[in-house]
């Protein structure tokens, strides 16, 4: 998609003329930022196989720099290639037009690309969520009846996302809401408290003079407070965005 957009821009067929800044989009920006932070899910698979952690900080920095570069390249080529009023939220669908991509096979592939990714990710996420439900309601020494284990838990896992998929196609609002509420709790609030409490537990277990050679450059408590403050701003701005949009409607 980046290459196709660059080719279209290079052939002077770019339709986008974005303004230098549009502050009306700041409200929804916070939710999108939280959602884009999902790139952190690649960290365990990157760090675990590395036996020597001496240069782990530089490797993680390089990983996030590459992620930021691709995010930026994909976004900037999009806003200069397509008009803002015709730019679809599901970005791959913009390449389903004949005047953008000439090859039919490529158009179909890009149009179906979200289906391919969801088909591979959704079963894994659903199984993980189902197991989390089972763990949440588990009692020591108890077992679930067959109906609860095979029907109830899969149902409460599958029905909500299916209902959302049938009820709305507004991906911008959906990303903002999930990013601001569920994403803020999962990716900001919970990790911040985990880091703070784990550091206190480490000091009690190993003593206050112990120095971790792999400690983060963001080890100061200020950064924990900053993350929580950022989470509050994300929650506030996205809620304000939803309320103002509903008021305008």
């Amino acid at each position: 998609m980046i290459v196709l957009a660059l080719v279209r821009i290079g052939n002077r067929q770019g339709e986008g003329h974005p303004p230098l800044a549009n502050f009306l989009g700041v409200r929804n920006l916070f939710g999108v930022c939280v959602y884009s932070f999902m790139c952190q899910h690649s960290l365990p698979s990157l760090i675990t196989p590395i036996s020597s952690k001496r240069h782990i900080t530089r490797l993680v920095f390089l990983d996030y720099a590459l992620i930021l570069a691709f995010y930026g390249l994909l976004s900037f080529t999009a806003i200069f290639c397509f008009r803002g009023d015709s730019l679809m939220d599901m970005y791959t669908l913009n390449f389903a037009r004949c005047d953008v991509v000439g090859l039919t096979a490529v158009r179909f592939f890009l149009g179906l690309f979200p289906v391919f990714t969801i088909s591979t990710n959704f079963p894994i996420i659903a199984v993980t969520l189902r197991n989390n439900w089972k763990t949440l309601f588990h009692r020591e020494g108890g077992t679930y009846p067959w109906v609860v284990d095979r029907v109830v838990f899969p149902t409460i896992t599958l029905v909500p996302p299916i209902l959302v998929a049938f009820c709305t196609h507004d991906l911008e609002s959906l990303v903002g809401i999930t990013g601001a509420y569920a994403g803020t709790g999962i990716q900001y609030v919970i990790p911040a408290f985990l880091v703070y409490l784990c550091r206190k537990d480490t000091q009690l277990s190993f003593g206050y003079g112990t120095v971790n050679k792999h400690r983060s450059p963001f080890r100061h408590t200020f950064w924990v407070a900053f993350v929580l403050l950022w989470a509050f701003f994300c929650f506030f701005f996205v809620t304000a965005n939803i309320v103002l949009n509903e008021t305008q409607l």
Side-chain angles (χ1 to χ4, degrees):
M1 290 185 290
I2 293 173
V3 172
L4 290 172
L6 286 174
V7 169
R8 186 174 172 82
I9 295 171
N11 292 333
R12 299 185 182 278
Q13 296 176 337
E15 302 171 352
H17 301 283
L20 183 62
N22 183 4
F23 292 100
L24 295 177
V26 172
R27 298 174 302 185
N28 203 49
L29 173 66
F30 286 88
V32 177
C33 287
V34 177
Y35 204 81
S36 65
F37 193 58
M38 285 184 65
C39 61
Q40 68 171 338
H41 68 72
S42 62
L43 282 179
S45 59
L46 284 171
I47 295 174
T48 303
I50 300 175
S51 57
S52 177
K53 302 291 195 294
R54 289 183 57 190
H55 305 293
I56 197 70
T57 302
R58 276 178 282 183
L59 290 174
V60 172
F61 176 79
L62 177 62
D63 175 48
Y64 274 94
L66 288 173
I67 292 170
L68 178 62
F70 276 104
Y71 272 151
L73 192 57
L74 190 67
S75 300
F76 278 101
T77 53
I79 62 177
F80 283 102
C81 183
F82 303 102
R83 292 199 319 271
D85 56 350
S86 64
L87 187 61
M88 300 182 187
D89 292 336
M90 184 65 73
Y91 182 52
T92 56
L93 296 180
N94 294 281
F95 295 90
R97 291 158 41 187
C98 297
D99 61 326
V100 179
V101 181
L103 294 175
T104 305
V106 177
R107 290 203 306 272
F108 275 104
F109 175 78
L110 291 176
L112 292 172
F113 183 75
V115 179
F116 300 148
T117 56
I118 292 174
S119 299
T120 55
N121 293 333
F122 184 76
I124 299 173
I125 297 172
V127 170
T128 303
L129 180 58
R130 184 204 62 184
N131 294 336
N132 290 340
W133 283 121
K134 295 169 70 172
T135 303
L136 180 64
F137 293 104
H138 179 69
R139 294 296 178 266
E140 193 67 31
T143 57
Y144 296 112
W146 184 89
V147 174
V148 175
D149 187 46
R150 298 295 181 179
V151 178
V152 175
F153 285 128
T155 301
I156 63 177
T157 300
L158 296 175
V159 169
I162 292 175
L163 290 177
V164 171
F166 275 105
C167 292
T168 181
H169 57 83
D170 188 355
L171 293 180
E172 183 179 359
S173 299
L174 191 61
V175 167
I177 292 172
T178 55
Y181 300 117
T184 297
I186 295 170
Q187 300 182 85
Y188 286 152
V189 177
I190 295 176
F193 280 111
L194 279 176
V195 166
Y196 179 74
L197 294 175
C198 287
R199 288 175 179 173
K200 291 185 65 176
D201 185 69
T202 302
Q203 291 176 348
L204 293 174
S205 302
F206 299 100
Y208 288 91
T210 305
V211 178
N212 182 6
K213 63 180 180 180
H214 301 303
R215 61 185 178 179
S216 168
F218 304 102
R219 56 186 175 271
H220 198 277
T221 310
F222 163 79
W223 294 108
V224 176
F226 176 78
V227 170
L228 293 174
L229 184 63
W230 173 259
F232 170 77
F233 274 109
C234 292
F235 180 89
F236 174 79
F237 274 99
V238 175
T239 303
N241 183 46
I242 296 171
V243 173
L244 291 175
N245 286 340
E246 290 296 327
T247 304
Q248 291 175 358
L249 293 176

